[in-house]
Each structure stands twice: as C-alpha cells, then as structure tokens.
Amino acid sequence: MDFTDRRLVFRPGDDGYDEETAGFQTGFAQRPAIVFGAESADDVVAAVSHAAQAGLPIGVQATGHGLPGSSEGGVLISTRRMDSVRIDADARTVTVGAGVRWGQVIEAAAAHGLAPLNGSAPGVGAVSYTLGGGLGLLAREFGYAADHVRWLDVVTADGELRHVTAQTEPELFWGLLGGGANLGVVTALEIGLVPVARLYGGAIEFDGREVDPDRVLRAYEAWTRTVPDEVTSSVAALVYPDIPQLPPHLRGRYLVTVRVAFTGSEAAGEVLVAPLREIGPVVSDSLREMPYTDSHTIHSDPDFPHSYYGDSVVVGELDVAAASELFALTGPAADAMHVVQINQLGGALAKTVGPSGNAVPYRDAGWLVRVLSPFEGADLVAVRAVQARAFGLFAPETAGRLLNFAFGAGDRPDGLYDAGTRKRLAELKATYDPANLFRRNYGVTAGG
C-alpha cells in the first residue's frame, strides 16, 4: 500500500475520515490516529506492518455492528471494500472476503438451493460474526457457523499472511474460531453451506398487557422441551417507543414474541406451533412457509444505525421465575427501552466438531439470555445499572457470557471464556501477538 494514497488512508480532519470510522453502532465514537481502507490482503499486510513498526494498537471494522477494539490513537483497518463472494455449489461452500455481509451470501447461495448459517440480521459482517462463534437462525440443527469453516486467510502481528486449516495449523485454526479478532486480521475464509432453500418460521406476538408475560414464558419453556433439533427459537419482549417513526399499531405497545425457524415441512410446522397459538389472543402471527431469502423477517431487526449497549449470559436450565422477573424489570415499568431475548440452545450447538474443534465456549449451556438497550449519552450509566440487575437474576445458573452479544460490554472480559479456553488462547496470544497489537483481547493477553 502506498501510504500517501489519500483514497485509502485517512487521518483525523481528512475528508472521508468520519465516514470511514462510522458504523452501525453509533453509541461509541472511534478516533484512531490513522485508518486504512483495505481493498486486498496485501493492503492488510501493509497496514499491520505499519502498525507493528510504530507500536500502535490495531482495530478492525467491517460493518460496525460490534466495536473494533482499542483503535483509539492507533490504527483502524476498514475491510468493507473486501466484499467478494464465491460459491462452490458442488462442494456446498462459500468463500467470503472480510467485508462481506450475510445478505450478500444469502442471495448468492439461494440460487443454488443453499443457505449460510447466518444470524437474524443480514447486514452483519460474515467474517466477524463467524470468528465470534456465530449463533444463527438454524443453530440447533447445524451448530455454530464457526463449526463449518474450512480455512481462513489471516494476517498475524508479524505481517505474515497465513492460510490456516485444521491440518496445517490446528492450534491457530482452533483459536481463530471463537477467539474473535484477537490473533490477527482475517482477510477471507471458506465456510460450508447447508441444503436449505425454504423453511417454516416467523413470529407470534402477544400483547404483554393483555396476556401475562409469565404465562407466555412458562408455556414457551414447556414447549421447547417437546421440539426436535430442527427447531431453533427464542422468546423476546420489548416496549416500543411511542414515536411517529413507527407504524401506529406498534407505538407504545408492549409485545412478547416467540420466534421460530423450522426446516421441516409446513404441515409439520403447523402441528409443532399449535401449542404456542393456544397461549392466548395474538397481536400478529406470521408463522408460514417462506423462501430462505425471507428468513430475516423472522426477527425483523432494525436496519438503521443506532446506539445500543448489550450483554448476555448463558445458563444450564432456564429459571422461569427469574425470566419473568427480568421481563418485569425491563417492561412497561422501566425508565428506558430494553430488548430482552431468550434463546433455546442445545442440539448441534452442544457438539464438538472435527478433530481440533474450536474456541467457542459453553457448549453444554441450555439457554442464552440477552438484554440490549438503546441509549443516548449519559443514559449509559443507568442502562448498565439495569443490566447488572437483570443478569444478576440468573447468577446461580450462569456459566458465562457470549462474545458476539457483548455489544459495548466487551470491555468487561470476565466470563467470556471458561478457564481452560482462556489459558489456551493466552498461549496462542503469546505466540502470534506477544506485543498485544490486537487489543480486542477479551481478557486474553500474552501474559495469561
């Protein structure tokens, strides 16, 4: 890379600097000393080498749904231009560049009757999502996205571009998948696709002021005990703000929603969801047969940039009484808006894949509890206090937290890995990044 090329290099005050540092997450400002807009792996090599020579911390950003780590006063590598997608329909794989979003892969794979193991929001970066594990719409049937990676190209702190497989560098392969952006900059990876062209799914919504949320929770938890691994689902609760930007039927409404994705037939799906429809009167019911390209409608996540702070805990069994108290804490009586989601885990998520496995932790957990809170300015202090109370309800059952759902809370590293995984990642850190250039370390440093 020519560091004088102003099209690719941005410093504070330059035209394009603010655009280059902006992301989907607007709640936390970034002020790196220099931004490199990478278009190729060679550009990433040059940027990492420059940072290493200068002793500057490195952050990496594709779409900006999460945070790139400690790039303050350092180097930010923007990978959004590296957006190539190559499908191998015969091998059922896709090779994606570092800046690819899942929506691109969904569309490309659908032409071949295939689907990726993406999450609920198609605007999320495929590579960063996968490095954090990747808990997707079909997770209980197929496992984590990280479980399906074949190889990765990664630039490590020494400026070397490595082609990493489970056979060539098994330990690094293990650590990259689940270890996040702590060991290098992944410029591309190849990942398996699944033979899914359609599914049965959608959401069934209850008015939380008319149907007791505790009733929904207890019915949902009982229902999950009866479903096969081909069903991946969650229950969520949200008080919509009373603002003109929303459709009139949502303004100020408190909705408790069960979301379902099932790869079986429509007839079988109708039988499976019948108990959910018996919980009480519904506000809406979108459960239906759909092409996989419509799978984003199951969650209908917002697609516009905004500020948010979120965290999660994983637990063995779901304490429904604690979940009910959580809904009360974050419901209509709360002083601010909070989005709560509880995901059933298990199934393929509990299985270790391949001879080397990967660093995705807590596979024996049965449930994921998430709280995400939009905020503005000083409201973050109050948001953190509410979330501390919320997750404290599950303390007796908590095994840890999941990296991909620490939205702004990644600066609190406790619980992101179990002790054995953290020790193994620290050994890799000492080998591949002893100077700690990649400071999105989640509590894992070369020192242990």
Side-chain angles (χ1 to χ4, degrees):
M1 175 186 289
D2 179 359
F3 292 129
T4 64
D5 185 347
R6 306 304 293 179
R7 184 176 61 85
L8 296 175
V9 179
F10 307 86
R11 294 178 174 84
D14 288 348
D15 290 341
Y17 177 89
D18 290 340
E19 179 184 357
E20 207 68 26
T21 57
F24 189 84
Q25 162 67 279
T26 65
F28 299 87
Q30 297 181 73
R31 300 300 296 177
I34 186 169
V35 182
F36 295 105
E39 296 181 310
S40 68
D42 288 342
D43 290 345
V44 175
V45 168
V48 170
S49 299
H50 174 81
Q53 291 168 8
L56 296 174
I58 301 171
V60 186
Q61 176 169 293
T63 64
H65 276 249
L67 293 171
S70 300
S71 60
E72 184 74 22
V75 170
L76 177 66
I77 302 174
S78 171
T79 63
R80 61 187 174 90
R81 298 170 180 84
M82 301 172 65
D83 60 352
S84 64
V85 176
R86 300 193 305 275
I87 302 286
D88 185 333
D90 293 334
R92 291 181 179 172
T93 62
V94 60
T95 301
V96 298
V100 168
R101 299 169 187 248
W102 275 126
Q104 300 168 252
V105 184
I106 293 168
E107 292 294 333
H112 306 279
L114 301 170
L117 294 175
N118 58 283
S120 59
V124 167
V127 168
S128 54
Y129 163 97
T130 302
L131 298 182
L135 180 68
L137 296 174
L138 307 178
R140 280 175 36 83
E141 182 172 0
F142 296 106
Y144 289 98
D147 299 342
H148 297 262
V149 172
R150 310 294 178 83
W151 56 258
L152 310 96
D153 286 343
V154 58
V155 179
T156 44
D158 57 3
E160 182 177 345
L161 176 63
R162 303 169 185 267
H163 185 73
V164 179
T165 72
Q167 291 72 43
T168 60
E169 294 191 71
E171 194 66 7
L172 182 56
F173 183 84
W174 173 89
L176 288 169
L177 298 172
N182 192 28
L183 298 172
V185 184
V186 172
T187 61
L189 59 79
E190 182 183 78
I191 188 169
L193 301 170
V194 295
V196 174
R198 40 70 55 205
L199 52 76
Y200 176 88
I204 183 167
E205 296 181 319
F206 305 90
D207 188 320
R209 293 184 175 91
E210 297 179 1
V211 180
D212 187 351
D214 181 74
R215 178 180 176 183
V216 179
L217 281 166
R218 293 186 183 280
Y220 170 71
E221 192 275 339
W223 176 76
T224 61
R225 296 176 183 271
T226 69
V227 300
D229 292 350
E230 290 77 16
V231 173
T232 302
S233 69
S234 63
V235 61
L238 162 64
V239 180
Y240 284 91
D242 187 2
I243 56 176
Q245 291 91 333
L246 290 176
H249 72 281
L250 291 180
R251 296 175 191 171
R253 200 155 198 175
Y254 179 40
L255 294 182
V256 181
T257 306
V258 178
R259 297 153 170 167
V260 177
F262 171 56
T263 56
S265 69
E266 181 178 14
E270 287 288 305
V271 172
L272 277 172
V273 303
L276 299 177
R277 288 174 166 148
E278 295 173 357
I279 293 173
V282 303
V283 173
S284 68
D285 182 345
S286 66
L287 293 164
R288 67 200 187 281
E289 177 115 8
M290 67 176 75
Y292 193 79
T293 51
D294 286 349
S295 61
H296 63 280
T297 64
I298 295 174
H299 287 247
S300 295
D301 290 333
D303 59 1
F304 54 87
H306 57 285
S307 61
Y308 47 93
Y309 181 89
D311 209 347
S312 69
V313 293
V314 288
V315 298
E317 296 294 327
L318 181 64
D319 182 337
V320 180
S324 183
E325 191 172 347
L326 169 64
F327 276 27
L329 174 66
T330 57
D335 292 333
M337 177 180 173
H338 304 279
V339 184
V340 175
Q341 182 168 308
I342 301 175
N343 295 66
Q344 184 190 17
L345 304 179
L349 296 167
K351 299 174 183 177
T352 300
V353 296
S356 61
N358 53 49
V360 179
Y362 309 120
R363 287 184 176 267
D364 57 349
W367 296 86
L368 168 69
V369 180
R370 300 169 53 190
V371 181
L372 186 145
S373 307
F375 71 93
E376 296 293 339
D379 292 343
L380 182 57
V381 175
V383 161
R384 283 176 164 157
V386 171
Q387 292 200 9
R389 290 177 58 197
F391 293 119
L393 298 170
F394 299 90
E397 288 288 329
T398 295
R401 304 156 61 215
L402 289 190
L403 179 61
N404 272 1
F405 302 109
F407 296 113
D411 57 349
R412 184 171 64 83
D414 55 295
L416 290 174
Y417 297 102
D418 59 89
T421 300
R422 186 170 59 252
K423 180 177 183 295
R424 194 171 167 185
L425 286 172
E427 292 169 353
L428 279 168
K429 187 72 169 173
T431 299
Y432 291 99
D433 184 20
N436 195 27
L437 293 182
F438 302 103
R439 296 183 186 174
R440 187 72 188 268
N441 53 51
Y442 324 115
V444 177
T445 63

